[in-house]
């Protein structure tokens, strides 16, 4: 079993829809959670970063963490065609160490105008 | 400023060529990383430099040779590559890689798209 599981998609939604992207993890040592957005043929861009269980909002994006269920989500409200990208969840253990970032497999999202 | 720059953007090379990829960051980060990413896959860690010393080599073939001339620069020297080495090569940096938590958050460059003929 992989340490981080992510719905691979692809996911296709109409413009204006609410998008929900999800990851689960098995290792309770993960304490910090990120969402990266990666456009085709570009590097991953850090979108959201959270630590605590609960919600963190930034504009149209909300990151949600449920440590008791080992489940994280990214919600995109009023989705736009420019949101079409691959979204990667990533997690960091709290204990440090150079090999410390674990990625999900990525979900490819297409927002149709 | 959270920018990591990489050059070149694209590189095409033959199997007998020697080339280098370059990465630079001016965020004062002390950890720098090389990743390889194939299409529709997440990035795979290749090397980690922590405080300018190689701390992780993920069993990468010797035809890839990393170098960290100073805390802001990271190079990846390429020699005798194979067509299966064609991929997007990503550089990333973080504040450090030993404290854990927020300081391990990695910022990625745009990548170099490498094609080996």
């Amino acid at each position: 079993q992989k340490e981080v599981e992510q719905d691979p998609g692809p996911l296709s939604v109409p413009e204006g829809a609410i998008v929900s992207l999800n990851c689960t993890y098995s290792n309770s040592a993960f304490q910090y959670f990120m969402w990266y957005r990666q456009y085709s043929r570009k590097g991953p861009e850090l979108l959201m970063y959270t630590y605590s269980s609960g919600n963190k909002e930034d504009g149209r994006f909300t990151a949600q963490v449920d440590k008791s269920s080992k489940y994280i989500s990214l919600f995109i409200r009023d989705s736009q065609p420019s949101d079409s990208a691959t979204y990667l969840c990533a997690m960091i253990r709290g204990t440090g160490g150079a090999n410390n970032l674990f990625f999900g497999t990525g979900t490819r999202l297409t927002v149709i105008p | 400023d959270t920018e990591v720059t990489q050059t070149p953007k694209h590189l095409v090379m033959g199997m007998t060529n020697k080339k280098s990829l370059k990465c630079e960051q001016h965020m004062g980060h002390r950890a720098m990383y090389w990743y390889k990413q194939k299409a529709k896959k997440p990035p795979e860690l290749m090397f980690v430099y922590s405080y300018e010393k190689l701390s992780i080599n993920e069993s990468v073939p010797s035809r890839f040779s990393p170098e960290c001339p100073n805390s802001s620069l990271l190079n990846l020297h390429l020699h005798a590559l194979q067509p299966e080495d064609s991929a997007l090569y990503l550089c990333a940096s973080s504040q450090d890689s030993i404290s854990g938590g927020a300081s391990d958050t990695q910022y990625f460059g745009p990548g170099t798209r490498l094609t080996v003929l």
Side-chain angles (χ1 to χ4, degrees):
Chain A
Q1 182 190 6
K2 292 182 182 174
E3 293 202 70
V4 182
E5 299 275 0
Q6 182 173 3
D7 295 336
L11 188 59
S12 189
V13 301
E15 183 175 353
I18 296 174
V19 176
S20 172
L21 304 167
N22 310 296
C23 287
T24 58
Y25 61 98
S26 55
N27 189 341
S28 58
F30 289 129
Q31 296 293 324
Y32 299 84
F33 306 92
M34 285 79 65
W35 285 95
Y36 287 88
R37 176 175 63 192
Q38 187 172 22
Y39 291 112
S40 181
R41 297 175 171 264
K42 302 290 186 186
E45 170 194 7
L46 183 63
L47 201 57
M48 298 281 284
Y49 168 89
T50 57
Y51 167 67
S52 307
S53 281
N55 294 349
K56 180 178 180 179
E57 193 173 316
D58 183 1
R60 295 185 295 110
F61 298 90
T62 299
Q64 187 176 79
V65 174
D66 182 347
K67 289 187 177 179
S68 63
S69 300
K70 296 190 180 67
Y71 188 90
I72 69 170
S73 298
L74 178 70
F75 297 98
I76 307 174
R77 289 186 301 281
D78 188 25
S79 55
Q80 303 294 309
S82 58
D83 295 327
S84 298
T86 295
Y87 290 80
L88 293 151
C89 66
M91 307 181 185
I92 295 176
R93 292 189 300 253
T95 51
N99 187 8
N100 205 24
L101 183 64
F102 292 80
F103 281 101
T105 50
T107 300
R108 179 182 281 185
L109 171 68
T110 301
V111 180
I112 302 166
Chain B
D1 182 13
T2 55
E3 190 177 26
V4 176
T5 59
Q6 289 186 245
T7 55
K9 285 189 171 61
H10 303 277
L11 179 61
V12 180
M13 59 188 289
M15 290 192 286
T16 58
N17 291 158
K18 284 185 182 180
K19 296 286 184 184
S20 296
L21 309 184
K22 296 185 184 305
C23 174
E24 191 166 3
Q25 57 87 15
H26 294 289
M27 295 179 277
H29 288 174
R30 302 311 301 270
M32 296 185 77
Y33 309 76
W34 279 116
Y35 287 85
K36 173 182 177 180
Q37 187 178 28
K38 299 286 258 184
K40 299 183 182 180
K41 299 287 187 185
E44 292 176 41
L45 185 65
M46 299 174 72
F47 302 104
V48 180
Y49 272 84
S50 181
Y51 293 83
E52 299 160 50
K53 290 189 183 345
L54 183 64
S55 61
I56 294 278
N57 175 342
E58 290 286 350
S59 303
V60 179
S62 60
R63 56 186 185 268
F64 295 91
S65 175
E67 179 196 17
C68 189
N70 61 55
S71 59
S72 300
L73 293 173
L74 187 66
N75 298 322
L76 185 63
H77 303 297
L78 314 172
H79 174 56
L81 294 193
Q82 305 296 309
E84 61 264 27
D85 296 321
S86 299
L88 182 67
Y89 288 84
L90 294 162
C91 174
S93 71
S94 63
Q95 281 183 19
D96 64 41
S97 64
I98 55 178
S99 302
S103 60
D104 284 9
T105 302
Q106 293 181 26
Y107 296 87
F108 285 83
T112 293
R113 182 152 301 279
L114 173 68
T115 303
V116 182
L117 301 176

